[in-house]
Amino acid sequence: MTAHCPLPNKNAGGGGQLAIGQKLIQLSALASLWLFNFNSLAQKDSTRFINPVVINTEVDTIHRISVITSPVPHFILDEVILQKLGVTDVGSAFRFIPGVQLKDYGGIGGIKTVSFRSLGANHTGVVLDGIKIPNVQSGAINLSPFEIFGVSQISFSSGQIEEYNAPASAYLNANSISIQSKLTEKPDKLKIQLYSNLTSISTFEEGFLVRVPVSKKVFFGVQGFTKFGDGDYQFKVEESGSATKLRRENSSLFSYKLRAVTGVELNNSKTIFSATYYNNEQELPGAMILYNPSNDQKMWNEDWRFAITHDQKIQNWKLNANAFYQSSWMRYYDPDFLNLQGYIDNAYLQHNGGGGFILKRSVLKNRAFVFGGSDLIFSDLKSGSDFNPNRMENNSVVGAHLLIGKLLLESNVTLQAVRDRIEVSDSITEKNFLEASPFVSLCWMPFKNKPLRFRAFYKRAFTLPTFNDLYYNLIGNTNLKPEKAHQFNAGFSFSGLTKKVYYEFSVDAFYNLIDDKIIAIPTKDLFNWSMQNIGKLNVYGYDVGLLLNYSTGDWKMTANGSYSYNLSLDVTNPESSTYQKQIPYTPFHSGTAGLAVGYKKTSLNVN
């Protein structure tokens, strides 16, 4: 569902100098999404948008991350960029996106979650090849198991997801992550890739990827990946004024993943069948306690996922349909926990299944398109306790994109109807939620011959309480309300080209207001807590991005930088010591920088 502010025509900003060099750079991260979603617009009036050019992504996408023509903060990292950044999983890649805070904990196979502009990880949805991944137990999706090997592109957007194949449920989230894998792309010939990676802390990764064109219309692919190692390393501990060397213990990991995909491409349609199996066994290192640095906690995971997606185009109509089933098993074991049993051994089994569609149609002589869709999802959680809840949710969206001259308007409204049901002994308790959330954005390019764009958006978003929040042993609160967030964003971007230098510059200011924040507070003692809606947060800040690309002869140099300022104030209780103070784990200042120097086909990259 990608849409962007119109680009200047071929004679803008310097006449003949705005030639193929600038267009290669501007189009390299955007062209595939733009040409698919605005194909009808481009055919109707191609001179207002993008003239077809040959795209060389290997040369022209060095460190280019931000999509400056988007009406919302939108970032794309394709395969070339991911290789140059030197990351191994999806979670680590988001370190380079301004405004994102990555939480990484639990050793070499540790959980990785992201929050954006102080909106928690529960406000960030994850879409894999057109299927939104659910997690009703904790709400947050762990990004650590999603390796970079085999990924063609990942993207991040705030306000509205900007991917053409996004399901209706993805429009609910305040922030969205989309992952596109190579297995869903039809190869022109047999392609085999091998992958190997090792680190200085005794960790190893191995993988293979095979893609086969079975016929002109059918293709098949299979991928395997494993990660294993001890994850141990030496570190110093200050003790009585002297440094003692210890070795990190209880960090070993062994995990593997297998995925198979079959695709069928006809003249106007594409159908993808996929099956994924993931198995993980790991030790959890825990905190280093003086005189007792060891830890004996362990965790096991076993996941199955089956999915089918279908894309169909008939004249001015486009249909995206999907269905999926997912089973997730997790076991956590702590042999030294101080309770009556003297240990913890908990197992959880989560089932998710559902499907839905989105239908789009171009209108007003291809100057706009409208869309609408709905998903139906069922989830349940079994934990061996008295609480075994299930959730039925219907997520729907209607929206429109309208281009009038130099102004692009995007808008949608989502509706989420949820029924939570829990059986305890012979009684059945039901809890219902019904929430509607609007989104609207504007993007304006005031000067025909100047690539200056202004953008702004507003979105109301909310996240439902998780099963842990509602029902977890002793602390759950079945009366919790959804956590609500109001997002405001305003900014501008500018790009240009001289004889040897291409440059981009963007600034976005934001304000987030979070109500009914779900937090845990102690009750009668430190061992009995309760989940309650008492939190309130005001978030202010701005993001700045800069890109410079210089080329002369066989030499190329690209410099990329970003800076974020984030003021996240707790305004829950004026009597609290934390009132008007910065919330934990949120930096006031953060930034990224990258430099790439290339000569012909060789390049040196520093991040």
Side-chain angles (χ1 to χ4, degrees):
M1 194 63 66
T2 306
H4 304 286
C5 279
L7 298 172
N9 62 38
K10 61 183 179 181
N11 297 317
Q17 291 184 355
L18 187 61
I20 196 163
Q22 178 179 3
K23 293 183 180 180
L24 284 172
I25 298 170
Q26 289 178 325
L27 287 174
S28 56
L30 300 174
S32 60
L33 296 176
W34 173 272
L35 293 176
F36 185 92
N37 290 282
F38 263 66
N39 183 52
S40 58
L41 286 173
Q43 291 174 348
K44 185 69 177 180
D45 189 8
S46 61
T47 58
R48 288 188 59 85
F49 299 100
I50 301 173
N51 294 324
V53 295
V54 178
I55 298 171
N56 189 333
T57 58
E58 179 65 35
V59 176
D60 296 302
T61 60
I62 299 178
H63 287 191
R64 191 180 194 281
I65 295 176
S66 176
V67 183
I68 64 170
T69 56
S70 174
V72 298
H74 185 204
F75 307 89
I76 294 178
L77 294 88
D78 65 13
E79 182 183 8
V80 175
I81 296 175
L82 292 171
Q83 290 177 354
K84 295 180 184 298
L85 293 178
V87 296
T88 58
D89 60 63
V90 170
S92 298
F94 288 112
R95 297 181 191 273
F96 297 93
I97 293 180
V100 167
Q101 288 89 45
L102 175 69
K103 293 185 178 181
D104 181 358
Y105 41 90
I108 60 175
I111 294 174
K112 290 184 175 72
T113 62
V114 300
S115 61
F116 184 68
R117 296 175 175 176
S118 300
L119 292 173
N122 289 10
H123 283 280
T124 301
V126 178
V127 175
L128 174 63
D129 293 329
I131 301 289
K132 184 179 177 182
I133 300 176
N135 185 355
V136 294
Q137 181 181 358
S138 64
I141 302 299
N142 178 17
L143 298 175
S144 182
F146 296 96
E147 67 280 352
I148 292 300
F149 175 63
V151 169
S152 61
Q153 177 181 287
I154 63 175
S155 65
F156 179 92
S157 58
S158 182
Q160 175 177 263
I161 189 166
E162 293 287 288
E163 303 301 323
Y164 78 92
N165 62 344
S169 297
Y171 289 85
L172 299 172
N173 296 109
N175 309 306
S176 297
I177 292 170
S178 180
I179 307 171
Q180 299 290 336
S181 65
K182 291 182 180 179
L183 287 176
T184 61
E185 302 170 358
K186 182 181 178 181
D188 54 357
K189 59 183 178 180
L190 173 64
K191 294 188 176 181
I192 300 175
Q193 287 182 266
L194 301 177
Y195 173 85
S196 183
N197 180 53
L198 58 90
T199 73
S200 60
I201 58 173
S202 301
T203 306
F204 307 88
E205 295 178 338
E206 309 291 339
F208 70 88
L209 178 66
V210 180
R211 300 162 60 203
V212 183
V214 179
S215 67
K216 292 183 178 180
K217 299 180 180 180
V218 180
F219 62 93
F220 175 78
V222 61
Q223 179 177 356
F225 188 86
T226 181
K227 184 175 183 179
F228 57 93
D230 296 328
D232 59 348
Y233 54 91
Q234 284 190 337
F235 63 97
K236 293 181 179 180
V237 178
E238 297 295 333
E239 178 185 349
S240 303
S242 62
T244 301
K245 283 190 175 182
L246 297 176
R247 181 165 290 277
R248 189 56 148 164
E249 300 177 1
N250 209 72
S251 294
S252 68
L253 165 77
F254 179 75
S255 68
Y256 63 94
K257 178 192 291 186
L258 295 171
R259 189 178 189 214
V261 169
T262 299
V264 180
E265 286 190 1
L266 302 177
N267 292 334
N268 295 308
S269 69
K270 182 177 181 179
T271 304
I272 299 291
F273 306 87
S274 66
T276 306
Y277 176 74
Y278 173 72
N279 190 292
N280 174 66
E281 179 179 350
Q282 68 184 102
E283 298 175 332
L284 305 178
M288 200 296 295
I289 302 174
L290 196 60
Y291 305 116
N292 184 26
S294 182
N295 189 61
D296 296 316
Q297 299 172 20
K298 293 184 179 181
M299 184 172 70
W300 296 261
N301 300 89
E302 186 177 35
D303 298 345
W304 287 92
R305 184 181 302 117
F306 304 92
I308 178 174
T309 61
H310 178 76
D311 298 337
Q312 182 78 45
K313 181 179 180 181
I314 302 177
Q315 295 180 348
N316 293 332
W317 293 89
K318 294 179 183 178
L319 171 68
N320 299 97
N322 70 86
F324 74 95
Y325 170 77
Q326 176 179 294
S327 173
S328 303
W329 175 82
M330 182 187 73
R331 179 190 172 196
Y332 170 76
Y333 177 64
D334 183 354
D336 302 317
F337 191 78
L338 300 178
N339 58 4
L340 293 178
Q341 291 78 25
Y343 68 93
I344 285 181
D345 191 355
N346 290 340
Y348 303 89
L349 179 60
Q350 181 182 167
H351 296 101
N352 311 97
F357 72 95
I358 279 191
L359 190 62
K360 312 160 195 173
R361 190 184 193 283
S362 59
V363 295
L364 299 179
K365 297 182 179 180
N366 295 327
R367 301 301 299 170
F369 65 88
V370 295
F371 65 95
S374 185
D375 291 341
L376 185 64
I377 300 174
F378 175 81
S379 306
D380 68 6
L381 178 67
K382 300 184 184 300
S383 61
S385 67
D386 294 333
F387 298 95
N388 295 301
N390 63 71
R391 171 174 291 176
M392 180 74 74
E393 52 185 307
N394 178 228
N395 306 319
S396 302
V397 61
V398 292
H401 293 214
L402 176 62
L403 184 63
I404 306 175
K406 303 171 184 178
L407 182 67
L408 173 66
L409 170 66
E410 297 184 5
S411 181
N412 71 61
V413 177
T414 60
L415 179 67
Q416 186 169 14
V418 180
R419 186 217 66 188
D420 279 358
R421 180 174 180 174
I422 183 169
E423 299 182 14
V424 181
S425 299
D426 295 329
S427 65
I428 298 176
T429 302
E430 288 191 2
K431 182 69 175 180
N432 297 304
F433 301 90
L434 183 63
E435 293 281 348
S437 298
F439 163 83
V440 61
S441 72
L442 292 171
C443 190
W444 177 48
M445 192 177 74
F447 306 110
K448 182 178 180 180
N449 297 327
K450 299 291 183 182
L452 173 67
R453 306 167 189 84
F454 295 92
R455 61 187 180 192
F457 83 82
Y458 163 77
K459 181 179 180 68
R460 177 187 184 269
F462 68 98
T463 179
L464 285 169
T466 68
F467 282 169
N468 284 353
D469 296 334
L470 293 166
Y471 311 115
Y472 194 73
N473 296 343
L474 301 179
I475 70 172
N477 181 358
T478 57
N479 294 317
L480 285 175
K481 302 175 183 178
E483 182 178 311
K484 305 175 184 66
H486 299 270
Q487 297 174 272
F488 299 88
N489 185 93
F492 71 91
S493 63
F494 185 81
S495 62
L497 179 72
T498 64
K499 187 175 182 179
K500 296 182 179 181
V501 178
Y502 171 78
Y503 57 90
E504 295 177 356
F505 180 73
S506 63
V507 178
D508 282 279
F510 59 87
Y511 169 64
N512 294 335
L513 174 63
I514 305 174
D515 288 318
D516 291 327
K517 189 171 180 63
I518 300 172
I519 62 173
I521 63 171
T523 54
K524 60 183 180 180
D525 55 51
L526 292 178
F527 295 97
N528 291 277
W529 293 63
S530 177
M531 307 302 298
Q532 295 192 19
N533 291 109
I534 63 171
K536 191 169 185 176
L537 196 65
N538 283 343
V539 181
Y540 312 84
Y542 58 88
D543 300 326
V544 180
L546 175 67
L547 174 74
L548 295 173
N549 189 84
Y550 172 83
S551 61
T552 176
D554 293 328
W555 287 92
K556 291 182 180 293
M557 183 184 73
T558 301
N560 182 76
S562 66
Y563 167 76
S564 296
Y565 175 72
N566 188 317
L567 185 64
S568 300
L569 302 179
D570 179 1
V571 293
T572 302
N573 182 6
E575 305 300 324
S576 171
S577 61
T578 63
Y579 185 71
Q580 293 285 1
K581 300 293 180 62
Q582 185 85 345
I583 62 173
Y585 307 110
T586 301
F588 290 104
H589 310 279
S590 61
T592 64
L595 178 65
V597 179
Y599 178 73
K600 292 185 177 180
K601 294 185 177 182
T602 304
S603 65
L604 173 67
N605 306 274
V606 180
N607 302 295

